[in-house]
């Protein structure tokens, strides 16, 4: 066992090794990711967005973006590593091995006369009689005299030349990488070693585990409280109208924690009078409705009023405290809305389907919050898409609609010269303002979707089969970008576009399949498409060559601006089903798309009629016709009050071309949804 000095010198080396092992590869990986990240302008750069300041790279924002908690921790660990390296190097220089020849400035094997000459020469420089410096005196006594004595003694010199040490062969030494005070067992610190072992090996992991479990028990993976998910789950109803989604959204536990100050009473009263028309209050019993509204939890009342102030673009009149609270509410809104739509799409029925109506309502609320468009304006035909353009307001929209431009789609179909003339004549826009509008119009996505349904390896779909849904979504913009940030100058934070692909039956208000997609991360989309395509080809029994070709084709599609949504659902009972595939964006108004599918499910027989063994004169087509007539009778039973429920009969009339043996007939994508279809 080595002495305490040897143990004390090993402890910094041990700490340095423990820090360097994970730190070095993690730093290399992070630098590689930072170097490979593309710096590309993905926002519209209009004057409204520039005035909002959320995309401006000021010095403070640059420092804040770099000086995150993880980056600061990384820099701190590297500083500790440099200090440890310097300390270990300095410590090794102090504890260097005793070498007599190097001290005297001689080579190994020097003669006695050379040793004496070197000793006399160094004595003139460091002897106390010649040099009064205390450091010189110490060096002469501890190094020069000791080296001369070791080399002039025959036994010491022979030991040094043979074993590298004047005292002869040295034994094997072993040290413990702990500080010296923990190993001073003879003194009063003997029990500290036990405390160190218990604290580091038992208490520290236990404390970390308790803190982690206590936090994970309160929050989900999306940093949303479990109490919020529970409230959303119980408050979500299948008949929840889009106008009532706000009442469920504000019940989040995160909003309850927003502070309510006494100084906020008067500003909130004024804000209530300003946004009272947006609160769905019964005007006939306005006093009772107001009293009922103010009896709610104060934090929830404050949250709803702040959201309505944002939707009506009245945040400029808020006090600094309320403006700060409003930003906090808007910061929490995206992930809370995402969890809210998941609660709407979670399987609730006995068939494992979600609910369509509340899901659409949540998407509409998300669009309104991002674009700061009042919910009451969503009821007006053609107005909401115009309000997301820069420099537009209600008066300008009314003037433009009088010039035979009634829908947003008609505005997009106009040429640049026609739009410039229209804006300059009707709205008195300057050239810069016209350019801002053009930049936003080029940024609005245009989407198409191709959907197919079928049973893997079979031509027909029988009841109880596992049906595979495959939807290729293509996004195009006039400016050539694929992934981009939406134009949202009134929303105070950068917001990425998210798209939801829903395969639903509007007659039963059920969602059979849903998937969230993003066009920002191309690498993740390539990986997901490759994996899904490979699994599908493996189920079909394709050869490796065919599988590779299919994967290459899927990757090429993704790189060209497509995304793959693939999933499975259980085939329902025998019959013909008119399904609708919705493609909804949570950030833009008026760019949603939907396409119709006709799904035919055959009755399962004992002998099996898989592989298209049905004859042309069989009874199954007749059953399908009877089932189709029953479905047509059920279409009149339920009417979903949403912008997506209009003209369903027109969509059904265009989808009468289904294949005979249970294949899905694919239809073209509608040009617009909601108010754009009018």
């Amino acid at each position: 066992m080595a002495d305490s000095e040897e143990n004390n010198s090993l402890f910094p080396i041990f700490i340095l090794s423990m820090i360097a092992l994970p730190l070095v590869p993690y730093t290399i990986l992070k630098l590689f990711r930072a170097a490979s990240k593309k710096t590309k302008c993905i926002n519209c750069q209009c004057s409204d967005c520039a005035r909002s300041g959320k995309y401006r790279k000021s010095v403070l924002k640059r420092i804040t973006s770099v000086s995150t908690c993880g980056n600061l921790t990384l820099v701190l660990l590297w500083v500790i590593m440099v200090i440890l390296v310097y300390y270990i190097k300095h410590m090794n220089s102090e504890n260097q091995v005793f070498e007599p020849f190097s001290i005297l400035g001689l080579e190994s094997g020097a003669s006695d006369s050379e040793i004496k000459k070197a000793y006399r020469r160094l004595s003139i420089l460091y002897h106390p009689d010649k040099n009064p410096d205390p450091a010189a005196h110490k060096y002469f006594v501890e190094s020069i005299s000791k080296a001369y004595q070791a080399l002039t003694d025959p036994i010491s010199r022979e030991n040094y030349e043979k074993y590298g040490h004047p005292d002869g062969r040295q034994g094997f030494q072993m040290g413990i990488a702990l500080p010296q005070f923990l190993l001073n067992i003879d003194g009063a610190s003997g029990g500290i070693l036990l405390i160190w072992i218990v604290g580091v090996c038992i208490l520290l992991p236990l404390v970390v585990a308790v803190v982690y479990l206590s936090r994970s028990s309160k929050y989900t993976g999306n940093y949303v409280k479990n109490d919020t998910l529970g409230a959303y789950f119980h408050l979500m109803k299948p008949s929840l109208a889009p106008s009532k989604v706000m009442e469920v959204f504000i019940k989040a536990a995160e909003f309850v924690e927003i502070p309510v100050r006494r100084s906020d009473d008067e500003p909130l009263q004024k804000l209530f009078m300003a946004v009272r028309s947006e609160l769905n209050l019964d005007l006939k019993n306005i006093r009772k409705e107001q009293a009922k509204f103010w009896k709610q939890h104060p934090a929830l009342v404050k949250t709803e009023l702040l959201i309505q102030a944002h939707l009506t673009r009245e945040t400029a009149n808020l006090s600094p405290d309320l403006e700060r609270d409003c930003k906090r509410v808007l910061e929490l809104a995206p992930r809370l809305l995402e969890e809210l739509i998941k609660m709407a799409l979670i399987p609730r029925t006995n068939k494992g389907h979600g609910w369509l109506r509340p899901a659409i309502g949540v998407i509409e609320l998300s669009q309104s919050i991002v674009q700061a468009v009042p919910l009451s304006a969503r009821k007006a035909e053609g107005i909401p898409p115009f309000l997301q353009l820069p420099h537009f307001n209600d008066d300008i929209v009314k003037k433009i609609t009088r010039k035979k431009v009634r829908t947003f789609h008609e505005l997009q179909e106009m040429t640049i010269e026609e739009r410039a003339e229209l804006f300059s004549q009707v709205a008195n826009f300057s050239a810069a303002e016209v350019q801002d509008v053009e930049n936003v119009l080029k940024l609005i996505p245009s989407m198409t979707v191709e959907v197919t349904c079928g049973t893997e390896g079979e031509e027909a779909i029988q009841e109880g089969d596992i049906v595979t849904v495959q939807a290729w979504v293509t996004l195009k913009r006039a400016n050539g970008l694929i992934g981009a940030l939406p134009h949202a100058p009134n929303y105070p934070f950068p917001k990425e576009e998210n798209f939801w692909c829903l395969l639903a039956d509007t007659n039963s208000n059920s969602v059979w399949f849903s998937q969230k997609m993003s066009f920002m991360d191309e690498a993740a989309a390539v990986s997901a498409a490759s994996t899904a395509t490979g699994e599908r080809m493996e189920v079909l029994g394709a050869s490796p060559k065919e599988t590779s070709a299919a994967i290459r084709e899927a990757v090429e599609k993704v790189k060209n601006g497509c995304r793959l949504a693939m999933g499975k659902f259980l085939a329902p009972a025998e019959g013909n089903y008119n399904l609708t595939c919705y493609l909804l964006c949570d950030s833009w108004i008026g760019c949603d798309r939907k396409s119709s599918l006709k799904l035919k499910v055959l009755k399962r027989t004992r002998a099996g009629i898989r592989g298209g063994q049905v004859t042309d004169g069989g009874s199954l087509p007749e059953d399908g016709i009877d089932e189709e007539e029953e479905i047509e009778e059920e279409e009149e039973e339920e009417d979903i009050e949403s912008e997506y429920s209009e003209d369903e009969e027109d969509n059904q009339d265009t989808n009468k071309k289904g294949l005979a043996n249970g294949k899905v007939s694919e239809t073209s994508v509608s040009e617009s949804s909601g108010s754009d279809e009018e």
Side-chain angles (χ1 to χ4, degrees), residues 58 87 209 245 298 330 337 344 420 566:
S58 61
Y87 175 75
V245 174
L330 297 177
L337 288 170
M566 182 178 289

Side-chain angles (χ1 to χ4, degrees), residues 219 224-225 227-228 232 245-260 297-307 325-337 340 365 369 491:
Y219 291 89
V224 176
K225 287 190 172 183
D227 296 340
T228 301
Y232 284 170
V245 174
M246 176 71 76
E247 299 178 4
V248 179
F249 172 63
I250 64 173
K251 296 298 191 301
E254 286 82 355
F255 294 151
V256 178
E257 297 178 352
I258 294 178
V260 179
H297 193 285
L300 301 183
V301 172
K302 181 178 180 179
T303 300
E304 186 170 2
L305 291 177
L306 292 177
I307 294 176
D325 294 337
C326 183
K327 288 184 177 181
R328 176 58 180 167
V329 171
L330 297 177
E331 184 181 9
L332 295 172
R335 57 175 179 262
L336 292 178
L337 288 170
L340 186 58
L365 178 59
I369 290 178
Y491 190 77

Side-chain angles (χ1 to χ4, degrees), residues 25-37:
Y26 177 75
T27 304
I28 295 174
L29 179 62
K30 194 160 188 176
L31 292 175
F32 176 76
R33 288 179 178 177
S36 60
K37 186 180 296 184

